[in-house]
Amino acid sequence: MPDLIAVERHPGVAVIRLTRTEQRNAFNRDLDVAVSTALQEFDADPEVKCVVLTGSGTAFSAGADFNEAVAAMDEGTRGQGLALTYAALAALRKPIIAAVNGAAYGGGALVSIMCDIRIASEDAAFRFPGAAYGLVVGGARLPRIVGDAVAKDLLFTARVVRADEAARIGLVNRVVPRAEVDAAALEM
């Protein structure tokens, strides 16, 4: 099994990079375990003052791996999705920055908004498509970030929000050129 994340350490900062590029960094059970474990380790490490979470390839994260979810349903069970990662993000006692390097869709968009700060590349895009299949991914957090009316628009329509609009509505803190997204997150 290939490594699903790459971990980098800088003075005071730990970086978790999703490396499941062939699946646009979609979370399967193994990636969920890897990310949540890394977050818990960094939370306990006194040398780590801040965590940066980012993707590799063309996506931050496409959300849950639906191939795994469908297989679980076929077996009469329910896929875990990103449950461990969500729990680890919610429990993290240190600041976390999402360096959104491309598409952040579904659960990937929720992971990004669970982070304290979001720095997006100019080609980043966000989508909360849950309404299309009966879920409201981000429904509890999104209104606190962008306001009720904008959150309802994004949740009900499942439309794609490009980086420039994301900055305008407060979904991201800053937009930078793609080549600078990692450096901007580390600098902050």
Side-chain angles (χ1 to χ4, degrees), residues 3-173:
D3 291 333
L4 299 173
I5 62 171
V7 173
E8 304 164 22
R9 288 182 175 264
H10 302 268
V13 180
V15 178
I16 302 169
R17 185 176 309 279
L18 309 179
T19 60
R20 196 168 180 244
T21 56
E22 73 283 355
Q23 298 296 324
R24 296 182 51 116
N25 301 317
F27 277 78
N28 63 2
R29 181 173 292 118
D30 294 333
L31 182 57
D32 188 36
V33 169
V35 171
S36 63
T37 300
L39 287 168
Q40 291 166 358
E41 289 173 5
F42 293 144
D43 196 34
D45 185 341
E47 298 295 315
V48 175
K49 308 297 183 205
C50 180
V51 178
V52 173
L53 180 61
T54 191
S56 54
T58 61
F60 176 76
S61 175
D65 183 329
F66 278 98
N67 291 330
E68 186 176 271
V70 168
M73 287 188 302
D74 288 345
E75 296 169 2
T77 62
R78 186 164 189 241
Q80 183 172 313
L82 292 91
L84 297 174
T85 297
Y86 294 153
L89 283 167
L92 189 68
R93 296 168 294 176
K94 298 176 181 182
I96 184 162
I97 299 170
V100 182
N101 61 304
Y105 286 6
L110 180 54
V111 166
S112 77
I113 67 172
M114 290 184 78
C115 294
D116 298 304
I117 294 171
R118 288 159 301 286
I119 298 174
S121 64
E122 57 198 0
D123 62 342
F126 299 82
R127 185 168 182 240
F128 300 88
Y133 48 87
L135 298 175
V136 186
V137 175
R141 289 187 180 266
L142 193 57
R144 288 183 251 163
I145 296 170
V146 299
D148 288 345
V150 173
K152 288 176 184 178
D153 171 30
L154 300 181
L155 293 169
F156 295 168
T157 67
R159 67 184 179 81
V160 174
V161 178
R162 303 280 176 212
D164 58 339
E165 180 183 3
R168 192 174 65 253
I169 64 175
L171 186 58
V172 300
N173 300 79

